[in-house]
Amino acid sequence: MLKSKTLTCVAIGGVVLGVAVGLYLATAELPTTHAQGAQGSQPQFSPVKALTAREAYYPGTEDLAPGEMRITACGTGMPNARPKQAAACFLVELGNGDKFIFDIGTGSAERLSALAIPMDYLDKVFIGHLHSDHFGDLDALWVGGVISNRQRPLRVWGPSGATPELGTKYAVERMQEMLTWDTASRLGNVNTRGQQIELHEFDYKGINQVIYQENGVTIRSIPAIHALDGPVSFILEWNGLKFAFSSDTYPNKWWIEHTKDADIAIHECFLPPALLVEKQGWPVQDALNVGTQVHTSPAMFGKVMSSIKPRLAVAYHFFNDFDTRPEVERLVRMTYDGPLALAVDYMVINVTKDDIKVRMAVINEDVWPLPSVTAKLPADPSERIGFTEFIESGREVFADVIQEAYEDTNKRFGTNVQPPDYR
Ligand SMILES: [Zn+2]
Ligand SMILES: [Zn+2]
């Protein structure tokens, strides 16, 4: 297996992304060249046929092989909102059909929607800790998922805390309370089967404890060291493949012991302290504390990866730009010389026992929700809470155009739905 360090430039959507990816050139399916066509016996290009080889991943257009894992970065950035990088989120898809979301940081629900996956399949979320950049879009996935045709409950796993109010159960229940008006407003207007949440809070101190075991997939948690007691990292094992995701953590003995020889190890790699000062205007004291004590710095990330030696190390949790990437990579390379990917949003990693392929996804910004997997039920109007007489008294009912909308729509779909009688 070729383990060269390769700096590959990938042009996506007019943006040139320098991606340091070991194995990239060894495994990418590059299109056949003109030279091969000229020298070979068969012409390689047709003026009317599509190319068969792809350098990019087009969501919804590729089968997964039975033994294959596909990981898509749906958030690789920081707590600061930014168009290019949502906050932490990685989707793991398996060849048995299972899909798992690890962290659901602010902005990441939009990235998940771009992958053109029916929402019913995006029903399992594992939250590493309760910073908003790791679970801030849970509400968007929860409520938005219902509107986008999820018919199943959302299943959420997350750690306890040192006290009950620092745990996932407390946070998710308060999120539901926060959205009391939202939930009430939807009764009778949309079917809300998908609005159930199935919550699994587990002990944050568990070491390599099994928190999920179904369909040949085992997910374990290990404690993480980050800001307060409570954070965890995750290890998923399936079909002889091992995926590890740190969420946020200072380097720790549990990660080093239990993620050894992972196929894919995704670990936080925070911006170097000097860049936190220069680019973000932090006081030096805070930059050093947050950059090396609360989080893992690039050189610390390299030490971690040199200890566990994954088939591919993936660094995330920094603004990955033309002027930050070289410094992050230089610092990682001081302590680690193995296969490396510096993650950006929409990076896609296909993993089999023999091969790891890293590409970028090309997404359709005009994407619509996919249909539900099971039959979609209409809302039950009897659930509707309705308005007070005061608000009702304010309606200006344009009965003629409403009638026309009902008639036209009924005609188009062969239905006979009648408008409400506001008199
Ligand atoms: Zn955090
Ligand atoms: Zn974070």
Side-chain angles (χ1 to χ4, degrees):
M1 186 191 304
L2 179 60
K3 288 204 174 181
S4 63
K5 285 171 281 172
T6 309
L7 187 67
T8 306
C9 285
V10 187
I12 304 288
V15 182
V16 176
L17 305 163
V19 184
V21 179
L23 305 176
Y24 185 92
L25 289 181
T27 56
E29 291 175 11
L30 298 172
T32 314
T33 63
H34 282 280
Q36 282 173 288
Q39 290 164 4
S41 54
Q42 297 292 319
Q44 298 296 311
F45 291 115
S46 157
V48 293
K49 297 286 187 192
L51 296 176
T52 51
R54 292 171 169 185
E55 290 178 84
Y57 172 65
Y58 299 90
T61 67
E62 289 182 20
D63 296 343
L64 265 185
E68 189 174 12
M69 175 188 284
R70 178 169 59 215
I71 300 153
T72 306
C74 292
T76 60
M78 310 255 290
N80 326 63
R82 130 181 274 219
K84 180 172 136 182
Q85 287 174 279
C89 180
F90 288 85
L91 174 69
V92 176
E93 299 177 82
L94 305 179
N96 69 359
D98 274 338
K99 302 182 195 299
F100 303 90
I101 297 165
F102 289 93
D103 280 354
I104 179 82
T106 313
S108 60
E110 175 192 308
R111 307 305 203 236
L112 287 166
S113 77
L115 301 182
I117 296 168
M119 275 290 163
D120 277 320
Y121 296 144
L122 298 177
D123 64 342
K124 294 183 281 301
V125 185
F126 292 77
I127 296 169
H129 67 292
L130 295 164
H131 270 147
S132 62
D133 59 317
H134 295 259
F135 92 118
D137 254 13
L138 185 63
D139 57 352
L141 183 72
W142 177 46
V143 179
V146 176
I147 310 305
S148 297
N149 300 327
R150 191 186 62 244
Q151 307 278 291
R152 297 177 183 169
L154 187 63
R155 305 173 71 190
V156 179
W157 286 259
S160 60
T163 59
E165 65 273 21
L166 294 174
T168 303
K169 184 168 184 285
Y170 183 93
V172 172
E173 286 175 354
R174 295 311 174 286
M175 176 195 79
Q176 290 174 288
E177 284 177 22
M178 178 182 85
L179 289 162
T180 298
W181 188 92
D182 183 297
T183 305
S185 76
R186 299 187 194 283
L187 291 172
N189 294 321
V190 292
N191 183 278
T192 53
R193 279 184 301 170
Q195 208 145 336
Q196 319 281 334
I197 292 185
E198 184 189 303
L199 187 61
H200 303 268
E201 182 178 283
F202 55 86
D203 181 6
Y204 75 94
K205 287 182 175 165
I207 298 170
N208 214 27
Q209 72 180 333
V210 174
I211 56 167
Y212 176 98
Q213 197 157 42
E214 291 178 25
N215 205 16
V217 182
T218 302
I219 299 176
R220 295 184 165 87
S221 73
I222 50 175
I225 303 175
H226 173 63
L228 282 177
D229 268 39
V232 298
S233 303
F234 295 111
I235 300 158
L236 179 153
E237 287 179 276
W238 166 74
N239 193 44
L241 295 175
K242 185 170 175 178
F243 161 91
F245 173 63
S246 75
S247 195
D248 281 353
T249 191
Y250 186 89
N252 70 72
K253 63 181 183 181
W254 303 294
W255 173 276
I256 286 171
E257 180 179 350
H258 295 289
T259 70
K260 269 205 168 44
D261 303 319
D263 294 276
I264 303 295
I266 301 176
H267 195 288
E268 71 141 302
C269 174
F270 216 66
L271 270 183
L275 286 176
L276 289 170
V277 175
E278 287 171 10
K279 303 280 280 187
Q280 225 171 312
W282 287 27
V284 172
Q285 169 196 305
D286 294 355
L288 282 166
N289 174 50
V290 174
T292 69
Q293 305 301 316
V294 180
H295 287 284
T296 293
S297 73
M300 291 156 75
F301 169 93
K303 287 272 193 189
V304 168
M305 292 305 170
S306 289
S307 300
I308 68 166
K309 297 185 171 38
R311 282 172 70 201
L312 178 67
V314 180
Y316 89 103
H317 218 318
F318 61 96
F319 279 176
N320 190 342
D321 297 345
F322 73 94
D323 59 344
T324 58
R325 186 167 44 251
E327 178 63 357
V328 170
E329 189 181 12
R330 183 185 72 79
L331 291 163
V332 171
R333 287 307 186 198
M334 285 168 50
T335 51
Y336 173 64
D337 65 359
L340 173 69
L342 302 178
V344 287
D345 288 18
Y346 297 125
M347 181 180 277
V348 181
I349 305 168
N350 285 70
V351 190
T352 62
K353 281 175 183 152
D354 312 315
D355 194 21
I356 295 177
K357 179 163 64 178
V358 183
R359 298 171 291 172
M360 292 298 295
V362 178
I363 58 125
N364 170 22
E365 291 199 335
D366 297 336
V367 69
W368 284 71
L370 273 84
S372 59
V373 172
T374 54
K376 193 167 162 78
L377 299 177
D380 176 0
S382 72
E383 292 179 347
R384 209 169 288 157
I385 293 173
F387 297 98
T388 58
E389 276 183 30
F390 167 72
I391 292 298
E392 276 297 350
S393 73
R395 278 191 200 274
E396 286 289 346
V397 180
F398 298 121
D400 52 344
V401 291
I402 292 176
Q403 189 64 40
E404 198 177 319
Y406 272 74
E407 282 173 11
D408 287 354
T409 310
N410 277 325
K411 199 168 154 195
R412 187 157 167 182
F413 296 102
T415 49
N416 185 29
V417 182
Q418 294 304 309
D421 182 3
Y422 289 121
R423 284 167 300 166

